[in-house]
Amino acid sequence: MKKTAVAVAVAASAMGFAQFAAADFVKDSKLSLDLRNYYFNTGADAFGAAEETESGQWGQAFMLNYKSGFTEGPVGFGVDLFGAAAYKLADHGDAGTHLFQATGGEVDDRLSKGGATVKARVAGTTAYAGTLRPNTPVFISNDARMLPQLVEGVMVTNQDVAGLTLAAAHVSKFQERHSAEWADLGDEQFSLFGADYKVMDSLTAQYYYGQVNNSYTQHFAGLKYAADMGPGKLGADVRYFITGDDDPTPGPNEDDNNLWSVLVNYSVAGHTLGLGYQHTSEDFTFANVGKSKYLISERMLGAGAMHNPDEAVTLVSYGFDFGTVGVKGLSASVVHQMGDSGIGREVGKDTGVYQVVDHTETDVIVGYTVPEGQLKGLGARVMHAMYDGDDKFADENQTRVIVSYSIPLM
């Protein structure tokens, strides 16, 4: 560990910042190697003119994360570095874009990503420029595949006021989670700003605004509540989105949409029961950036996203922590959700013709993390999802097996 710190200090000195060696830049630096072994299998029943499909990919990823501290002085400077490579171990079935990019009908053997972020801090304000991985209600950097989704831009956060976190960002380039290619957003660059305020220990209020230039604007308001109640703990999550069209081209406002949801859960003696409800307005389907949506209905299968026009979603979930019965690190959960759309999904792109849909998705997840010893933190998850398309869309099944481990190097 000491040798690594010395190496970083020497590198910083070579860049003309010799003062970093004696400052918090080195002392607060963190370096880790994150390992991820991922198997992904998906299949869909024959439907309409489409035949039955089934495909799977298996790979191993190595992700190197370095986060420096900040230099001394009224303005502190630092840098974050990310480098990752994933290697395909096997694949079968139809080529797709599940873990690795498909080129010419063949799945690539390797996927590499990397980026650097320069950061500066003044009191409670921190600015970042370069590679970003935002995690906000109006934009989430997706990390549900082999390697994470990355974007390029600038972001500023502020925590000068106790309990209040402010954030603003502007994204100019975008990278898909299964691709190393950067896409310039051009005239459709994305901007956001928002705030999280801890009203009290048990209650946090949120407001965020996002805009895809020449596409749509989106307001989000949310409340998160967690407190002891009786022998257990009660949690509640309320979310409300108002999306408006921002396309200057004459035509229908295809992004106008309101969506709200409530999710309540109660935990006691290792058991957690959850109930949720979500409703989308009659106008158009929910608009979002990237592959992740901050919706209670977003689960494993994209086919079951359940945010169609005039769609009501009801979900029930159950989880159990086996640590309460002596098996530390083991947990299991199941979620079942039902979507009932009065208008339904659009039949074909830009057709304006919709079908009523009454579909369901059930996800089962079992996970284990080594709680202590030399392999502490080694985790494994087995995830299986089942989607019923209500005889209007193909039924789907999906299985994921993920083994992950983080090795601190500094």
Side-chain angles (χ1 to χ4, degrees):
M1 185 178 294
K2 291 182 178 180
K3 290 182 179 179
T4 306
V6 171
V8 173
V10 171
S13 178
M15 296 171 60
F17 300 104
Q19 71 270 25
F20 288 3
D24 292 340
F25 181 94
V26 174
K27 186 180 68 174
D28 293 338
S29 291
K30 295 181 179 180
L31 178 66
S32 66
L33 175 63
D34 298 329
L35 308 178
R36 178 181 293 174
N37 188 278
Y38 205 134
Y39 173 72
F40 187 105
N41 184 85
T42 185
D45 293 342
F47 184 81
E51 297 180 355
E52 181 178 348
T53 61
E54 195 269 336
S55 63
Q57 295 174 13
W58 179 33
Q60 175 65 51
F62 303 87
M63 293 172 280
L64 199 62
N65 285 281
Y66 171 72
K67 294 184 180 295
S68 78
F70 291 88
T71 60
E72 295 176 336
V75 181
F77 295 93
V79 63
D80 296 341
L81 304 173
F82 176 76
Y87 300 89
K88 184 183 72 176
L89 301 178
D91 74 88
H92 67 275
D94 304 307
T97 55
H98 307 307
L99 301 183
F100 297 88
Q101 190 167 14
T103 305
E106 296 292 331
V107 178
D108 292 349
D109 293 328
R110 177 178 174 178
L111 173 61
S112 300
K113 293 184 179 228
T117 308
V118 178
K119 56 188 180 182
R121 183 177 66 187
V122 180
T125 300
T126 306
Y128 305 87
T131 303
L132 305 173
R133 294 168 62 180
N135 185 13
T136 73
V138 291
F139 180 78
I140 302 172
S141 175
N142 188 284
D143 193 22
R145 292 294 189 270
M146 200 79 252
L147 297 179
Q149 180 183 41
L150 304 177
V151 301
E152 280 192 359
V154 294
M155 187 168 186
V156 178
T157 63
N158 178 275
Q159 293 180 314
D160 281 324
V161 178
L164 177 65
T165 299
L166 303 174
H170 181 78
V171 174
S172 58
K173 290 185 178 182
F174 185 88
Q175 192 179 75
E176 293 286 359
R177 55 194 179 184
H178 61 271
S179 173
E181 298 176 1
W182 287 100
D184 193 329
L185 296 179
D187 293 335
E188 293 193 349
Q189 298 187 9
F190 179 76
S191 301
L192 70 87
F193 68 83
D196 292 74
Y197 181 62
K198 197 169 186 178
V199 181
M200 58 184 71
D201 288 341
S202 59
L203 181 64
T204 299
Q206 296 177 291
Y207 170 78
Y208 279 83
Y209 173 82
Q211 179 181 18
V212 179
N213 193 37
N214 295 325
S215 182
Y216 71 84
T217 61
Q218 192 168 80
H219 298 267
F220 168 82
L223 291 172
K224 291 184 177 181
Y225 178 81
D228 294 333
M229 179 172 288
K233 192 169 187 177
L234 176 69
D237 189 341
V238 180
R239 306 176 187 181
Y240 186 60
F241 289 90
I242 301 176
T243 306
D245 194 80
D246 192 43
D247 188 349
T249 305
N253 297 324
E254 296 184 356
D255 288 315
D256 286 348
N257 175 271
N258 294 340
L259 184 150
W260 65 271
S261 65
V262 177
L263 180 63
V264 178
N265 59 74
Y266 186 73
S267 301
V268 59
H271 303 271
T272 300
L273 178 65
L275 296 172
Y277 181 82
Q278 174 181 292
H279 188 268
T280 311
S281 65
E282 298 180 4
D283 307 307
F284 297 94
T285 190
F286 181 77
N288 74 291
V289 177
K291 297 295 184 182
S292 282
K293 309 170 188 66
Y294 189 64
L295 304 179
I296 66 170
S297 64
E298 172 156 313
R299 299 295 166 178
M300 288 178 60
L301 285 166
M306 300 187 184
H307 49 73
N308 304 297
D310 195 29
E311 178 151 26
V313 179
T314 305
L315 72 83
V316 58
S317 65
Y318 172 75
F320 184 69
D321 179 3
F322 287 85
T324 57
V325 292
V327 187
K328 294 182 179 180
L330 180 64
S331 63
S333 64
V334 58
V335 178
H336 179 73
Q337 62 183 27
M338 301 152 284
D340 182 5
S341 175
I343 297 177
R345 288 187 173 180
E346 190 171 15
V347 181
K349 185 177 181 181
D350 301 326
T351 64
V353 179
Y354 291 86
Q355 285 183 321
V356 175
V357 181
D358 183 6
H359 48 166
T360 65
E361 179 175 343
T362 303
D363 298 351
V364 180
I365 301 174
V366 178
Y368 178 72
T369 301
V370 178
E372 54 192 16
Q374 292 185 336
L375 294 179
K376 182 179 179 180
L378 175 65
R381 280 184 297 160
V382 178
M383 311 167 69
H384 184 69
M386 297 160 285
Y387 171 74
D388 183 344
D390 188 33
D391 294 328
K392 294 182 176 65
F393 300 94
D395 296 343
E396 295 186 43
N397 286 278
Q398 186 184 106
T399 300
R400 308 181 195 181
V401 181
I402 308 168
V403 180
S404 57
Y405 188 53
S406 182
I407 304 172
L409 301 177
M410 180 178 174

